Amino acid sequence: MITGGQRFVASPPAFSQDGKKLLVCTGCTVSIYSVSTGMQITELEGGHTDRVTSVVVVPVGAPSSKFMSYCWTSSLDGTICYWDFASAELIKKVKIQFPVHSMVIPSLSTIGSTEEGSNLYAFLSVEDINKPASEKKALHGQVRIYNLKNQKPVGGLLTETRNPEILYASKNGEFLGISNKRKLHIWRIPANNFRFDEIKKIKLHHTKKLTCLAFHSTLRMVAGGDDTGRILIWYNFGREKFAQNLQNLKGTKNPSDEAKPGVRNNDDVDSCTTWHWHPSEVKFLHFSSDGAYLYSGGNEGVIVVWQIDTGKKKFKPRLGSPLLYFTESPDPSLSCVSCSDNHIHLLKMPTMDISKSISGIKPPFSFPLKHEGSCTQVAFEQTTGLVAVSTEDYCVQFYSLFDNHEVSEVQVCKRNFQPADDVMLYVALVAISLDGSLMATIDVTIPEEKLGGLVCLKYWTRGSLVAEYLLSTVIYEPHSDAQVSSLAFRPGHNMAVTSSYGGDFKVWVHGSHAGRNNESMQRTGWRCQSVGSYKGKPLTAAVFSADGSILAIAAETMITLWDPDSNILVAMIGDTLSPITKLSFVGKSEYLVSYTHSLKPQLSVWSTSNLALYWSHGIVTEAVSCSHDESQFAVLALLSSPGDADAKGNGVIFFFHVEDPVPVATWTVTKAKGGSLAFLPANPSLHESSATNGVNQLLLVFMNGKHEYTIFNPHKEENIISKNSRKSQAAQDEAERLGYTSIYGDLSNSNAKHNHFQEVPFAPSERPWETIFSGSSHALPPLTKLCTSFFESLLEKRLENSNEMIIDADL
Amino acid sequence: MADESKPFFPVEKAHHVKPPPPRRPRLNTQESRFWRCFRHSELASGLILPVTALEFSPVAPFHLAAACSAAVHLYDGGASPSLAPLPHSPLSGFSDVAYSPSFRCDGSLLAAGGESGIVQVFRLDKAGPPLRRLSAHARPVRFVRYPRLEDKLHVFSGGDDALLVYWDVPSETQLITFPGAHRDYIRAGSPSPTSPEVMATGSYDHSIKIWDVRVPSSSNAILSFSHGDPVESVLFLPSGGLLATAGGNVVKIWDVIGGGRLIHTMEGHNKTVSALSLGRVGNASTALGGGEPRLLSVSIDGYMKSFDFAAFKITHSMRYPAQLLSIGFSPSGNSRVVGTSNGVIYMGMKKKLLQEEKGTGSASVFDGYAPEPKKQVLKPTNYRYFHRGQTEKPRETDYPIKRAPKVKLAEHDKLLKKFRHREALVSVLSKKDPTSTVAVMEELVIRKKLLKCVANLDVDELGLLLRFLHKYATMPRYARFLMNLANKVIEMRPEDIQSNKHLSKHVGSLRRRVAEEIMIQRSLQEIQGMISPFLIIAGR
């Protein structure tokens, strides 16, 4: 069983301490990506059973601990885990009992606090599950303190909020804050080994709902963003309350006499300024590590860089989707921004160029309601195991199911994406031919009060790369102004069919014809070969048989069979109770499966040899997939009727043999609404063992409404396909060692005493000899300078060796 | 590493995909810069008769001889802004059309053939009757050539009677005759640049023959090969080892030393190539042998092409508005001339005349060094001091980093970027480009802002919109969208339209347009009704 398609942007990612790895929360696991290649290195799994909500990397204190790569993770399953993420090992697990929504460990930030003896306090934002969920007004969110050293809670609650809020800590670990409705709560946390009652708190007030906050790295400055797009900056907060020495304060004059510009409710700050650029909610705020700039971002997909002293702005536009988090790495030239389209962009810092993208499968978007019937967001390309997903920013994303990463993206409509409330232009249908060489898309512009609607059919041919498609033909309004209901390619031919609710279908062929003038080259393109209709009824579905000899078109309740070459009506089958939503031929057999989607749901299997209904079920079908060769098909059925408002979305996958109305196998799934199914051939590169058996194994892939997917073998009870066969894909760029490193590595390993330290991963050290001696001799600096740096590198290596010995002694 | 974020899409590109623009030749090569530094003018002979030959004198000041009708016109190559006729021009001793003028190697005599079959030799320093008249040909003589090297006594001539004669000019006697040298008209030939005794001729029998007067006259040509088309022009390339021949619409390069092996075929012309010439490209003084040699060819299709016979590549081509028959390129490099079939000689003079560096060149040989002009050192008081180095060109070893190309946005795109929808609509309406206007309107529909924009337009802007609608609403390409829009506009702004005279005028004309369109549609439907029975019958 292979799972994939997790959301990378559910929680903020974290950089490792050397800035070369990125820890991304992916569902119940934490995936570690290489910053330089953008590929997954390893995965921390087995610790959590629910969504991981935050990752805190233990910083490197002294240079002696440079090898250490440890992190704390918190999860909704009420546990906190301590990992060695270099070797992907779980070290410690702490039970909290409450779902943890956010965790910060401020004392980690102060260097050296990881030494023995000091307690490690984690501040947790937990959900109080004792209070019933039906009580809307109850305070479900709590902020608690937990001592991770002795695994005991400390003191009582810091505060209670309506919902669990995200915790923010300042860089030096002195302050902690949450945004609670129209207020910011800020605590000052004393240094190590504090008592609970030493923690002091202030509140800062605003008139709008605050959504995020950020602490300045050095100054006593806090910024808050609200849901109207304003950014407030409070200077010098907590001068009275957090003052170390009360006597000193009394000596000065009472600050309340002074004018406090922009401050509400006589808050404990000197002044407050407001900046406004974002038109909607501010999603993140982040002070740069040097404290000169403030980064902010929101729904409109633009990172705004504010110069704090002057308020001047710089922009990084066209990131393509609403932004969620901004994370800075210890390396000042690198940071990353998480977008809500499941992408994490790594930015080269001063210029903010995207150097790499960690791209997950793009999430589904909501179609406008009345057009929902005629949309399929997902198309599978059988041969290479790719899925094509139409995305909100008018693209088709190709995603490798077996490797769980994005392959390419095809821009269907050349238009700048602006996140808006209502979708006016969307890619409605995507179809890919069986061999993957052709693609067709339909994009729809919704008219503004019956003005300017446009349906556009585009044909694409594959380029030289996998999943690289080039536009070949554009057809505006293929069925005048009627909506296109389905789009299908004919297997083995350069032919496609579109059917429309306007009552006609068109067969398109790819052919070459001479250009208008003789000078221009011969042009190739798609053109309409024939048009057909059946009694003027709306045509709701169209499909070719597996060998391409028959075209089946559903005219509401009737199924009509056509000869696609001569465009002659061959036969008609049966009568369903309500209009057919989708048709599919079952493999190479004579049977046809259809389902209807309205109030009287029905799944029917038709025989084309005697033109009659074979069997049917009254189940709410969401998707059907037929294997290409065998006479089997899988059905995704919902457990609730479509009219149900509060449908949970649980569903069942039935695996039928076409001769038998009793399913061969069933599986229950969640989030089935909007899901899809497909048969894929087992990827030979991944599963040599099954290929040698001689059995042509088909795998079934189920993609749920959130675009998370599972690939499994429908023929076997046990899911023996091992997970993570894709691990081999990860580029282990850190593994390579050259020149002196390899020599030094060998030296340490040859020491029999330290044999068991071979697992200790080597942090890639600087290798100055690779660069300092390169270049022409006249351009080289004097040899004395080179020598020092060369020897320094050697010395450093020696130190690391001694570190190993120290660790050894500790153990 | 390239930035992978999305590019900005201007609205036009969203719809109406245009084919890529036709590939334009890059105008920025060094060669094209050289050809562009000629100032163009016309030399009219006054007659609408073809200019069959153009020949530059081999010595300074490089006079030009042009054969046109029954005269050979002479132009002073030293005249400054453009070539000027010499005082004793034209040479008129011809009873019929003159052909093929040829300068002697010292430039003091000129031989020319003619329709009458007589070869005449003129002196160039003053007017007068021809010095010698050489008569042997019975048919027109189209090919007369002095040997190119230091041979002042002999002349080759070939005529339409397929006779090739080697003359001793002073005594007017035929030293050698080759009767039946070719099986058809001899129309072209070229003396070898390395030997005064060797001559190549080309004929309409498709063959090129190379003759040597030192071998006995009884024997045939020393080399013969076939061009494949009637040969219009033959030219030895400067080395003497290569020969260029023009015939049909191809120019072929032959290796003469290698026994007449075809080296390259240049197929750049669309019609018959009429003449060939040698040119030198480059800003060094070509009189001193600077610059790269080029083979220039002209054709009936009106193109002059410059062919680099070292790289076998056409490096430049130029178009003239007439059929071209002849070409000449001054050895000084200052001028080039092409002759057309209608009597016009197109002349290009170098804008900056190349200096005759002969004097200074010899001086430098004697002095041993050339005094370099003193370069003025820029001082901070000079304005240019602050601009120094800004126009510096990268050297060959430098690695230029290109600045990201600046995206030029139309005004409506800039306004749309700032979400100033009404201004964007107004700015594109005032541009009067229907494609981009409709594209902006469609973009506004996608943003759900078009109707709001229409509601907010003031009276003048509404006038713009109505004018646009009345002009384009019935165009089939936009009709579906614009007719609906016109309806909506009239529904939304009735008071403004009624109160303003201009607006109601626009609406009136819009109504007339629509009525016209309805008439057209009706008549089209009638035609369709008439045709469809025929089609059905034909289908059976």
Side-chain angles (χ1 to χ4, degrees), chain A residues 5-58:
Chain A
Q6 303 95 341
R7 228 170 132 59
F8 293 167
V9 294
S11 343
F15 279 98
S16 72
Q17 205 53 41
D18 56 357
K20 296 197 170 155
K21 291 172 186 168
L22 187 67
L23 285 78
V24 182
C25 307
T26 49
C28 314
T29 60
V30 175
S31 299
I32 297 167
Y33 284 84
S34 161
V35 164
S36 53
T37 61
M39 305 288 274
Q40 190 180 356
I41 299 170
T42 178
E43 197 169 15
L44 308 180
E45 53 186 343
H48 293 294
T49 55
D50 206 341
R51 191 165 72 78
V52 179
T53 50
S54 54
V55 181
V56 179
V57 175
V58 177

Side-chain angles (χ1 to χ4, degrees), chain A residues 399-636:
Chain A
Y399 197 82
S400 170
L401 290 170
F402 289 109
D403 301 332
N404 197 15
H405 65 77
E406 182 190 272
V407 178
S408 71
E409 205 171 54
V410 175
Q411 183 87 32
V412 176
C413 305
K414 290 202 167 165
R415 184 168 180 273
N416 305 304
F417 175 66
Q418 288 143 359
D421 298 338
D422 33 5
V423 180
M424 292 293 282
L425 170 66
Y426 59 95
V427 180
L429 289 170
V430 181
I432 298 173
S433 68
L434 202 64
D435 57 349
S437 62
L438 300 167
M439 177 171 81
T441 58
I442 285 187
D443 52 273
V444 177
T445 310
I446 298 169
E448 179 188 10
E449 300 190 18
K450 297 178 183 173
L451 187 63
L454 183 72
V455 179
C456 191
L457 169 64
K458 286 176 182 161
Y459 284 102
W460 308 75
T461 50
R462 189 166 63 190
S464 51
L465 301 173
V466 173
E468 180 207 13
Y469 286 90
L470 307 169
L471 187 61
S472 110
T473 310
V474 182
I475 296 154
Y476 295 107
E477 308 198 319
H479 293 275
S480 65
D481 51 352
Q483 286 287 324
V484 177
S485 61
S486 72
L487 177 63
F489 278 103
R490 184 178 180 188
H493 295 75
N494 273 347
M495 190 184 271
V497 63
T498 56
S499 64
S500 81
Y501 294 115
D504 59 342
F505 70 90
K506 289 188 179 179
V507 176
W508 307 86
V509 289
H510 184 262
S512 57
H513 57 277
R516 247 168 279 153
N517 42 0
N518 292 332
E519 284 175 27
S520 76
M521 303 264 286
Q522 286 257 317
R523 281 189 292 174
T524 60
W526 289 80
R527 60 192 168 79
C528 181
Q529 189 194 42
S530 52
V531 185
S533 64
Y534 181 75
K535 291 184 180 171
K537 284 184 181 174
L539 305 179
T540 51
V543 72
F544 282 101
S545 68
D547 56 353
S549 59
I550 305 173
L551 170 63
I553 288 180
E556 285 199 317
T557 59
M558 295 287 287
I559 299 172
T560 57
L561 302 178
W562 301 73
D563 181 353
D565 290 315
S566 55
N567 202 31
I568 291 170
L569 180 62
V570 180
M572 281 121 18
I573 313 180
D575 213 357
T576 54
L577 297 170
S578 46
I580 290 169
T581 311
K582 187 141 187 239
L583 276 177
S584 181
F585 276 94
V586 182
K588 290 205 161 70
S589 68
E590 52 180 320
Y591 298 104
L592 192 63
V593 57
S594 73
Y595 63 84
T596 61
H597 228 165
S598 56
L599 286 174
K600 289 172 184 167
Q602 190 181 21
L603 172 79
S604 324
V605 176
W606 309 84
S607 165
T608 53
S609 57
N610 50 12
L611 302 179
L613 182 69
Y614 196 55
W615 52 263
S616 75
H617 282 299
I619 51 178
V620 188
T621 313
E622 184 69 25
V624 163
S625 175
C626 299
S627 66
H628 190 62
D629 300 318
E630 296 156 65
S631 50
Q632 291 156 336
F633 63 95
V635 174
L636 174 64

